[in-house]
Amino acid sequence: LIGCINILSRNCNHFIEVHSSLIDQVSAQITVTLMNAMLLDSLTASEEKYRDMVENAPEIIFKLDSQGRFLHVNKLGLEAFGYSANEMTARYLFDLVADENGSLVKKQYDTSVNSRIDNNLVVTLLTKDGKRIDAEIMCSIQYDVILNDYMVRAFVRDVTERRALEKRIFEYQERLKGLLKEKTQKLSE
């Protein structure tokens, strides 16, 4: 029950079948209008929750068109790369890719979009001030009825620190191997 409509008359038997039919039609239209308003409120609240979740996510989130142009970047992404929202939407993903990876990333991106297959990219991205960010990008390909084209939702994880630690561990292992080889050689002599 959404509500109640009361129609009263002081005269007894004042309402005839035509009146009753008209009242039924009007009440049905009012019910549909009220239900639409409730659905719109629910949709608006859901959209606000989704937008808040995306904007305040602990990962960088991109939305790109099929050509790789940014359609949306969440707050963390804007902060990490140092661009405003308008600056980002004027750029393509490949504008941020370090030169040594650009053609490979473009090829992987195009292949993913054209084959409609989700893909993961490992790439070095450049911030507005030229700082390098090693990133893992998890791409999800989806059709957008508004754009009438495929678009890519991308979750980007900054792995710069992890890569630096991996590099240091590798260098440490190499030094240990060298020391072990040197000590083994001295012992054998």
Side-chain angles (χ1 to χ4, degrees), residues 56-87:
N56 296 306
E59 287 189 345
I60 298 168
I61 300 175
F62 296 155
K63 183 177 175 184
L64 307 150
D65 69 10
S66 62
Q67 305 302 311
R69 192 181 80 213
F70 290 100
L71 299 173
H72 179 79
V73 178
N74 70 346
K75 280 195 286 187
L76 186 61
L78 295 175
E79 290 169 8
F81 291 100
Y83 292 100
S84 70
N86 288 336
E87 289 174 318

Side-chain angles (χ1 to χ4, degrees), residues 34-180:
L34 287 172
M35 290 180 75
N36 283 342
M38 289 171 28
L39 285 172
L40 181 61
D41 286 346
S42 175
L43 181 63
T44 302
S46 177
E47 184 179 330
E48 286 174 10
K49 286 178 188 175
Y50 171 77
R51 186 177 314 278
D52 181 60
M53 186 172 63
V54 168
E55 286 304 312
N56 296 306
E59 287 189 345
I60 298 168
I61 300 175
F62 296 155
K63 183 177 175 184
L64 307 150
D65 69 10
S66 62
Q67 305 302 311
R69 192 181 80 213
F70 290 100
L71 299 173
H72 179 79
V73 178
N74 70 346
K75 280 195 286 187
L76 186 61
L78 295 175
E79 290 169 8
F81 291 100
Y83 292 100
S84 70
N86 288 336
E87 289 174 318
M88 284 300 276
T89 56
R91 290 186 163 40
Y92 290 80
L93 172 64
F94 320 110
D95 295 337
L96 302 183
V97 174
D99 290 336
E100 66 269 13
N101 298 326
S103 60
L104 176 64
V105 171
K106 173 98 170 95
K107 184 177 178 181
Q108 285 179 316
Y109 187 87
D110 290 342
T111 300
S112 290
V113 172
N114 292 331
S115 64
R116 318 295 188 253
I117 296 173
D118 295 351
N119 195 0
N120 294 336
L121 305 172
V122 178
V123 63
T124 301
L125 300 172
L126 301 173
T127 65
K128 186 175 183 177
D129 62 5
K131 178 184 168 198
R132 296 169 75 88
I133 296 177
D134 292 325
E136 290 177 350
I137 304 175
M138 282 101 7
C139 300
S140 174
I141 316 299
Q142 297 173 341
Y143 187 77
D144 189 309
V145 292
I146 295 171
L147 294 173
N148 195 27
D149 195 8
Y150 286 91
M151 57 123 210
V152 175
R153 286 198 176 125
F155 295 90
V156 181
R157 182 170 293 135
D158 183 347
V159 293
T160 306
E161 287 182 33
R162 187 179 82 196
R163 289 268 171 88
L165 287 173
E166 288 171 354
K167 183 180 177 185
R168 286 178 46 203
I169 289 170
F170 177 77
E171 290 169 352
Y172 183 69
Q173 286 175 335
E174 290 301 309
R175 261 192 299 141
L176 285 176
K177 285 179 187 177
L179 287 172
L180 182 61

